[in-house]
mmCIF file of all heavy atoms in Angstrom:
data_model
loop_
_atom_site.group_PDB
_atom_site.id
_atom_site.type_symbol
_atom_site.label_atom_id
_atom_site.label_comp_id
_atom_site.label_asym_id
_atom_site.label_seq_id
_atom_site.Cartn_x
_atom_site.Cartn_y
_atom_site.Cartn_z
ATOM 1 N N ARG A 3 -5.125 59.636 -37.595
ATOM 2 C CA ARG A 3 -6.499 60.117 -37.423
ATOM 3 C C ARG A 3 -6.595 61.578 -37.787
ATOM 4 O O ARG A 3 -7.558 61.990 -38.451
ATOM 5 C CB ARG A 3 -6.898 59.905 -35.970
ATOM 6 C CG ARG A 3 -7.971 58.933 -35.756
ATOM 7 C CD ARG A 3 -8.534 58.937 -34.352
ATOM 8 N NE ARG A 3 -7.750 59.563 -33.309
ATOM 9 C CZ ARG A 3 -7.097 58.930 -32.355
ATOM 10 N NH1 ARG A 3 -7.100 57.628 -32.317
ATOM 11 N NH2 ARG A 3 -6.422 59.600 -31.455
ATOM 12 N N ALA A 48 5.624 48.094 -39.695
ATOM 13 C CA ALA A 48 7.089 48.062 -39.699
ATOM 14 C C ALA A 48 7.653 48.410 -38.347
ATOM 15 O O ALA A 48 8.609 47.773 -37.856
ATOM 16 C CB ALA A 48 7.648 48.977 -40.784
ATOM 17 N N VAL A 68 1.530 54.385 -53.584
ATOM 18 C CA VAL A 68 0.369 53.500 -53.815
ATOM 19 C C VAL A 68 -0.909 54.139 -53.310
ATOM 20 O O VAL A 68 -1.948 54.024 -53.935
ATOM 21 C CB VAL A 68 0.617 52.100 -53.175
ATOM 22 C CG1 VAL A 68 -0.648 51.257 -53.198
ATOM 23 C CG2 VAL A 68 1.738 51.369 -53.870
ATOM 24 N N GLU A 70 -1.674 57.309 -53.148
ATOM 25 C CA GLU A 70 -2.123 58.319 -54.096
ATOM 26 C C GLU A 70 -2.702 57.660 -55.346
ATOM 27 O O GLU A 70 -3.733 58.092 -55.868
ATOM 28 C CB GLU A 70 -0.972 59.262 -54.479
ATOM 29 C CG GLU A 70 -1.462 60.494 -55.194
ATOM 30 C CD GLU A 70 -0.387 61.538 -55.371
ATOM 31 O OE1 GLU A 70 0.323 61.849 -54.395
ATOM 32 O OE2 GLU A 70 -0.247 62.060 -56.502
ATOM 33 N N GLN A 73 -6.213 56.536 -54.682
ATOM 34 C CA GLN A 73 -7.203 57.620 -54.751
ATOM 35 C C GLN A 73 -7.448 58.047 -56.181
ATOM 36 O O GLN A 73 -8.585 58.370 -56.549
ATOM 37 C CB GLN A 73 -6.766 58.814 -53.906
ATOM 38 C CG GLN A 73 -7.803 59.929 -53.867
ATOM 39 C CD GLN A 73 -9.155 59.452 -53.327
ATOM 40 O OE1 GLN A 73 -9.217 58.831 -52.283
ATOM 41 N NE2 GLN A 73 -10.231 59.772 -54.019
ATOM 42 N N LEU A 79 -13.166 55.828 -60.906
ATOM 43 C CA LEU A 79 -14.362 55.045 -60.639
ATOM 44 C C LEU A 79 -15.532 55.914 -60.180
ATOM 45 O O LEU A 79 -16.688 55.568 -60.478
ATOM 46 C CB LEU A 79 -14.059 53.972 -59.583
ATOM 47 C CG LEU A 79 -13.078 52.873 -60.001
ATOM 48 C CD1 LEU A 79 -12.718 51.967 -58.827
ATOM 49 C CD2 LEU A 79 -13.636 52.062 -61.173
ATOM 50 N N GLY A 80 -15.265 57.006 -59.513
ATOM 51 C CA GLY A 80 -16.316 57.901 -59.074
ATOM 52 C C GLY A 80 -17.071 58.551 -60.227
ATOM 53 O O GLY A 80 -18.187 59.034 -60.022
ATOM 54 N N THR A 100 -17.752 67.473 -56.738
ATOM 55 C CA THR A 100 -16.461 67.218 -56.058
ATOM 56 C C THR A 100 -15.316 67.495 -57.027
ATOM 57 O O THR A 100 -15.317 66.979 -58.162
ATOM 58 C CB THR A 100 -16.406 65.792 -55.531
ATOM 59 O OG1 THR A 100 -17.542 65.578 -54.694
ATOM 60 C CG2 THR A 100 -15.133 65.554 -54.737
ATOM 61 N N ALA A 101 -14.359 68.238 -56.596
ATOM 62 C CA ALA A 101 -13.196 68.548 -57.439
ATOM 63 C C ALA A 101 -12.213 67.392 -57.356
ATOM 64 O O ALA A 101 -11.236 67.446 -56.607
ATOM 65 C CB ALA A 101 -12.546 69.851 -57.004
ATOM 66 N N ALA A 131 -29.603 63.349 -65.344
ATOM 67 C CA ALA A 131 -28.904 62.284 -66.032
ATOM 68 C C ALA A 131 -28.249 62.748 -67.343
ATOM 69 O O ALA A 131 -27.114 62.392 -67.664
ATOM 70 C CB ALA A 131 -29.861 61.122 -66.297
ATOM 71 N N ALA A 132 -28.950 63.579 -68.089
ATOM 72 C CA ALA A 132 -28.407 64.073 -69.363
ATOM 73 C C ALA A 132 -27.163 64.934 -69.124
ATOM 74 O O ALA A 132 -26.172 64.830 -69.884
ATOM 75 C CB ALA A 132 -29.465 64.842 -70.140
ATOM 76 N N ALA A 137 -21.292 65.739 -69.095
ATOM 77 C CA ALA A 137 -20.068 66.037 -68.362
ATOM 78 C C ALA A 137 -19.075 64.887 -68.497
ATOM 79 O O ALA A 137 -17.874 65.139 -68.715
ATOM 80 C CB ALA A 137 -20.374 66.305 -66.886
ATOM 81 N N PRO A 147 -8.992 61.229 -68.358
ATOM 82 C CA PRO A 147 -8.919 59.855 -67.841
ATOM 83 C C PRO A 147 -7.631 59.117 -68.253
ATOM 84 O O PRO A 147 -7.030 58.417 -67.437
ATOM 85 C CB PRO A 147 -10.161 59.185 -68.417
ATOM 86 C CG PRO A 147 -11.122 60.322 -68.622
ATOM 87 C CD PRO A 147 -10.246 61.466 -69.060
ATOM 88 N N ALA A 148 -7.217 59.311 -69.506
ATOM 89 C CA ALA A 148 -5.982 58.632 -69.947
ATOM 90 C C ALA A 148 -4.777 59.193 -69.176
ATOM 91 O O ALA A 148 -3.873 58.446 -68.820
ATOM 92 C CB ALA A 148 -5.816 58.854 -71.446
ATOM 93 N N ILE A 150 -4.820 60.420 -66.135
ATOM 94 C CA ILE A 150 -4.902 59.870 -64.773
ATOM 95 C C ILE A 150 -4.367 58.437 -64.776
ATOM 96 O O ILE A 150 -3.652 58.047 -63.856
ATOM 97 C CB ILE A 150 -6.345 59.958 -64.236
ATOM 98 C CG1 ILE A 150 -6.798 61.393 -64.052
ATOM 99 C CG2 ILE A 150 -6.457 59.148 -62.916
ATOM 100 C CD1 ILE A 150 -6.053 62.190 -62.996
ATOM 101 N N ARG A 162 7.164 50.712 -56.610
ATOM 102 C CA ARG A 162 7.968 49.500 -56.773
ATOM 103 C C ARG A 162 9.473 49.837 -56.705
ATOM 104 O O ARG A 162 10.247 49.028 -56.194
ATOM 105 C CB ARG A 162 7.604 48.805 -58.088
ATOM 106 C CG ARG A 162 6.250 48.151 -57.972
ATOM 107 C CD ARG A 162 5.911 47.292 -59.168
ATOM 108 N NE ARG A 162 4.707 46.544 -58.901
ATOM 109 C CZ ARG A 162 3.748 46.359 -59.771
ATOM 110 N NH1 ARG A 162 3.842 46.843 -61.001
ATOM 111 N NH2 ARG A 162 2.649 45.674 -59.455
ATOM 112 N N PRO A 167 16.069 45.766 -53.499
ATOM 113 C CA PRO A 167 16.374 44.350 -53.190
ATOM 114 C C PRO A 167 17.241 44.215 -51.928
ATOM 115 O O PRO A 167 17.115 43.210 -51.216
ATOM 116 C CB PRO A 167 17.113 43.862 -54.419
ATOM 117 C CG PRO A 167 16.653 44.733 -55.521
ATOM 118 C CD PRO A 167 16.402 46.086 -54.906
ATOM 119 N N ALA A 171 13.369 41.133 -49.496
ATOM 120 C CA ALA A 171 13.570 39.895 -50.224
ATOM 121 C C ALA A 171 12.540 39.791 -51.338
ATOM 122 O O ALA A 171 11.489 40.442 -51.286
ATOM 123 C CB ALA A 171 13.440 38.706 -49.264
ATOM 124 N N LEU A 178 4.265 43.010 -52.022
ATOM 125 C CA LEU A 178 3.988 44.442 -52.083
ATOM 126 C C LEU A 178 3.595 44.852 -53.504
ATOM 127 O O LEU A 178 2.755 45.741 -53.692
ATOM 128 C CB LEU A 178 5.156 45.250 -51.534
ATOM 129 C CG LEU A 178 5.354 45.140 -50.039
ATOM 130 C CD1 LEU A 178 6.707 45.721 -49.620
ATOM 131 C CD2 LEU A 178 4.213 45.838 -49.277
ATOM 132 N N MET A 181 0.069 43.921 -53.813
ATOM 133 C CA MET A 181 -0.762 44.901 -53.115
ATOM 134 C C MET A 181 -0.965 46.173 -53.936
ATOM 135 O O MET A 181 -2.062 46.707 -54.004
ATOM 136 C CB MET A 181 -0.153 45.238 -51.756
ATOM 137 C CG MET A 181 -1.066 46.144 -50.933
ATOM 138 S SD MET A 181 -0.408 46.421 -49.293
ATOM 139 C CE MET A 181 0.124 48.105 -49.456
#
Side-chain angles (χ1 to χ4, degrees):
R3 246 189 345 251
V68 171
E70 193 171 313
Q73 184 58 49
L79 293 173
T100 304
I150 295 293
R162 288 188 171 138
L178 289 167
M181 185 175 107

